[in-house]
Amino acid sequence: MNDRIAVYPGSYDPLTNGHIDIIQRGLKIFDKIIVAALKNPAKTYLFTLEERLEIMKETFGKNKRIEIDYFEGLLVNYLKKRNVKTVVRGLRAISDFEIEFQMALMNRQINQEIETIFLVPSVSYSFVSSRLVKEVYLLGGEIRSMVPDIVDQKLKGKYGNHGIVTAQELSE
Ligand code: PNS
């Protein structure tokens, strides 16, 4: 097991500045962070896996200490495959705690060797989530301060400058 490497798993639909903040903090602790996007065929994403990976490669491509990858199925199986035992997750608020605590204990239940480390983002990002970023953009709001430029560009590419959709379309 490599103790100097951590996996930061997530949906990354899309990557936000909050994720970037956590990765930067993670790099103060670990030599390398593997940012692993979940490929879940049962889930509907706004961005395809290829687009989510492209956004991350574009954002971090030059940093040799950040690897972009994806996984399918159980996170613990992916960790085993990568020979890594540490998971990094961000904790924004108490509301995140319950589900994160449950996931950390479930992962440990499946594999006793897995440890989860929680990092707290800057307060400037404590309210930022991929879900809300999508919602605000699709309803015509401004999200440029919350995501890397490429996400803003890709959203505009998909939906036009302010692709306002109805709340009904958003929930579909
Ligand atoms: O960005 P998200 O959606 O909060 O990330 C959630 C993620 C991808 C970390 C979580 O859903 C996950 O690890 N899924 C893989 C399936 C799995 O291992 N489930 C059992 C342990 S909780």
Side-chain angles (χ1 to χ4, degrees):
M1 290 276 181
N2 193 325
D3 291 343
R4 301 301 314 150
I5 299 180
V7 166
Y8 180 32
S11 301
Y12 302 111
D13 186 36
L15 181 75
T16 68
N17 289 344
H19 294 127
I20 297 173
D21 183 85
I22 294 293
I23 292 164
Q24 282 163 347
R25 287 171 202 283
L27 286 176
K28 292 185 197 164
I29 304 170
F30 296 97
D31 290 344
K32 181 176 160 185
I33 302 278
I34 301 171
V35 187
L38 178 64
K39 178 184 181 186
N40 180 355
K43 198 172 155 183
T44 309
Y45 296 96
L46 184 65
F47 289 100
T48 64
L49 177 70
E50 289 68 29
E51 287 171 323
R52 289 182 282 142
L53 294 174
E54 186 196 337
I55 288 167
M56 298 204 282
K57 283 181 182 154
E58 183 90 7
T59 308
F60 303 116
K62 290 187 184 71
N63 192 330
K64 292 194 168 52
R65 293 174 64 205
I66 300 173
E67 181 184 330
I68 308 303
D69 198 7
Y70 72 93
F71 71 104
E72 252 185 296
L74 285 178
L75 176 61
V76 292
N77 290 347
Y78 176 71
L79 290 162
K80 195 169 179 187
K81 185 177 112 188
R82 298 305 311 261
N83 205 29
V84 171
K85 69 168 190 206
T86 311
V87 176
V88 163
R89 291 284 288 169
L91 261 194
R92 286 165 302 198
I94 296 290
S95 51
D96 283 340
F97 181 79
E98 199 171 341
I99 180 71
E100 293 298 336
F101 187 65
Q102 208 176 8
M103 286 200 290
L105 287 177
M106 180 59 86
N107 287 332
R108 185 188 283 158
Q109 176 69 25
I110 310 171
N111 182 343
Q112 293 291 316
E113 281 187 86
I114 303 303
E115 295 295 344
T116 304
I117 292 203
F118 294 108
L119 296 176
V120 176
S122 155
V123 279
S124 353
Y125 303 123
S126 58
F127 60 92
V128 175
S129 70
S130 299
R131 185 180 65 80
L132 282 183
V133 160
K134 282 183 286 197
E135 183 170 317
V136 169
Y137 182 82
L138 293 174
L139 295 173
E142 191 51 73
I143 48 104
R144 264 181 306 186
S145 62
M146 299 175 232
V147 292
D149 284 347
I150 183 172
V151 170
D152 189 52
Q153 286 158 18
K154 286 226 174 275
L155 281 168
K156 283 181 178 142
K158 265 186 195 281
Y159 298 100
N161 228 1
H162 262 295
I164 300 177
V165 297
T166 62
Q168 163 96 26
E169 283 172 296
L170 189 63
S171 64
E172 282 170 358

